[in-house]
Amino acid sequence: MATERSYVSYATAAVALAAIPLSFAGPEGLRLAVVGLLMLAGPGTALVRLLHFSRPHSAQATGALPLSIAIAVAFSLAMSTLVATAMIYARLWSPPVSVCILSVITLAFLALDLKKPKHVLVRAK
C-alpha cells in the first residue's frame, strides 16, 4: 500500500511539472487535460499526502478514501480560486502564470511530504 501511495506522489508531481510548459504553449487537448487535472486535484492531492489520514495498512485506510478525495478536490479548487482572485486584485491577470503558481504550490507540498519524518511502527511480540 505504501508503494501505491508513492505512485500517487509521482503522478501528482508529473502533472505539476507537465503543466508548467503546457500552460504557455502546446496542443489544445493536452493542455486542457493536464492543466484541468492540476487545477482540479493537484494541490489538494499533495496536501492529502502530507496529512496522512491513517496508516496505509489499517482497516480505516479504505474508509478514508472518499474523505481524501473530497478534501483534495475542495482544496485544489479553493487554491485555484484564491490564486485567480489575488491576481485580479493585483491587476496582474495571467492564466499561464497562475498555472505555474499552482504547480509550485503542489510541488512544495510534495517536497514537504518527502522531508517529513516517517513514523516507524514497532509491533509488540
Side-chain angles (χ1 to χ4, degrees):
M1 184 85 166
T3 305
E4 293 172 7
R5 290 175 57 89
S6 65
Y7 288 151
V8 172
S9 293
Y10 298 149
T12 305
V15 168
L17 288 173
I20 294 173
L22 284 174
S23 66
F24 293 101
E28 295 282 328
L30 186 61
R31 287 174 68 182
L32 177 66
V34 172
V35 172
L37 188 60
L38 174 74
M39 293 180 75
L40 182 65
T45 303
L47 176 72
V48 167
R49 290 279 300 133
L50 185 63
L51 293 178
H52 293 288
F53 283 120
S54 60
R55 295 189 314 260
H57 298 292
S58 70
Q60 290 82 17
T62 57
L65 183 63
L67 176 66
S68 300
I69 293 170
I71 289 174
V73 170
F75 184 76
S76 295
L77 292 176
M79 285 304 300
S80 298
T81 304
L82 287 174
V83 167
T85 304
M87 291 182 79
I88 288 172
Y89 278 130
R91 297 179 193 262
L92 299 171
W93 178 249
S94 174
V97 173
S98 66
V99 171
C100 291
I101 291 171
L102 287 172
S103 293
V104 167
I105 290 170
T106 302
L107 293 172
F109 280 147
L110 289 172
L112 285 174
D113 185 41
L114 285 176
K115 289 283 215 181
K116 186 176 175 183
K118 305 295 181 207
H119 298 288
V120 177
L121 296 174
V122 178
R123 296 184 185 195
K125 292 184 180 185

